[in-house]
Amino acid sequence: MKEKPTPQNILFNRREVLSSAMMTTAGIAALSLSTERPAVAAERDHPFHPLEKFKYDLGASQGWSGKGGSAKQVNVDQFPVSKSIAGVSMRVEPGAIRELHWHAIAAEWAYILEGNVRTTVISPDGQADDVYFSVGDVWYFPRGYGHALQCVGPRTCHFLLGFDNGNFSEFGTFSITDWLAVTHPAIAARNLGISVSALAGFPKEEAYIVPGTLPPPVPSEPFRGGSVPTSQSVHKFRMAEVEPHRFPGGTERVVTAAQFPIQTTMSAVLMHLEVGALRELHWHPNADEWFYVAAGCCRVGLFGAHGRHVVDEFRPGQVGFVKQGFGHYIEQLGDEPTQLIILFNSPVYQEISLSKWLAGNPAQLIADNLGVSQTLVDQMPKHWVGIFGAQK
Ligand code: MN
Ligand code: MN
């Protein structure tokens, strides 16, 4: 009996075949191009260096772990190519609190993967919010807004955080306990309206994630109308609830500043790929792409001009980065559908796919460009496909 393919052995077997083939062609192409063609101005931004590593295994990293939860971080220190976006995978125990804090250099975006989370947020105009989030919900806190998170149970929550700055560090943010601990006691006591002696019981350093008291549970009674949509709140967007764009091989749910006005520096796509699907060759004219594999496996091909092309395979918990304008595709792998959470460092989502491009050109021009017959060109897609279904 044939061994059932697991994500691991699929990844291993195909990688062997790919790596030798890719390295040979990429090497030859880079050599011949560098001697035959002078670099034009635009190309000097991307000299003939090998493409930077575009995968980071966030799930397998060490991270921080404490009584109330854990956090794993990826920023430019671990993943140098990702200059515009950083990420954190965080788990918080029921009742525990990621303490009051703010981020000086980045806005915070989140997607809830498991469990229920409550956040409080204060904006500069003094307006406060106290919102509950469940699986599939998104939050966005503009740079510098004060916030806190709490797991509301009944089980551990897990969420993915994205930040619009690759230099962001979760372990270098501005926390209330850190601030009060280093401030002169007379000043801290005066500001809090308490006696200096009462400060003795405060944390002596940054608390970060602390155990806490379970708040009331998430209201779970749905509207009688079942699918009646509730209005979106300022900091919360129910991403999993929006009507997806449907393609032959999967779906995309897109959230930009158009749907979620506070999200002014980023946009996101929740991509579902059916078994055997292919997110076709495409690029994003206006933004870098940072993606996290939430479920299933995939293979990503990255095109960086000058014959530069790399292919790598991704498992759940791994992160990838595609520079603005770089060509790429995503091929679903394995027996389980694949889900990706994709972030862009622009409030506007733009993409151009190969099918869209070919459909938008005269047949003769395409035939001449590729040196093939019009009959062959006629077989090519005549409309935007986006995600191809499994091959018959
Ligand atoms: Mn935060
Ligand atoms: Mn893309």
Side-chain angles (χ1 to χ4, degrees), residues 112-129:
I112 312 296
L113 292 158
E114 293 166 30
N116 301 297
V117 189
R118 166 206 212 171
T119 75
T120 66
V121 56
I122 187 80
S123 46
D125 61 9
Q127 291 184 343
D129 216 352

Side-chain angles (χ1 to χ4, degrees), residues 271 279 282-284 289 322 328 330 342 344 349 351:
M271 184 184 289
R279 169 62 175 101
H282 69 284
W283 71 97
H284 306 284
E289 169 175 339
V322 179
H328 54 290
I330 305 171
I342 307 174
F344 301 92
Y349 176 67
E351 73 89 50

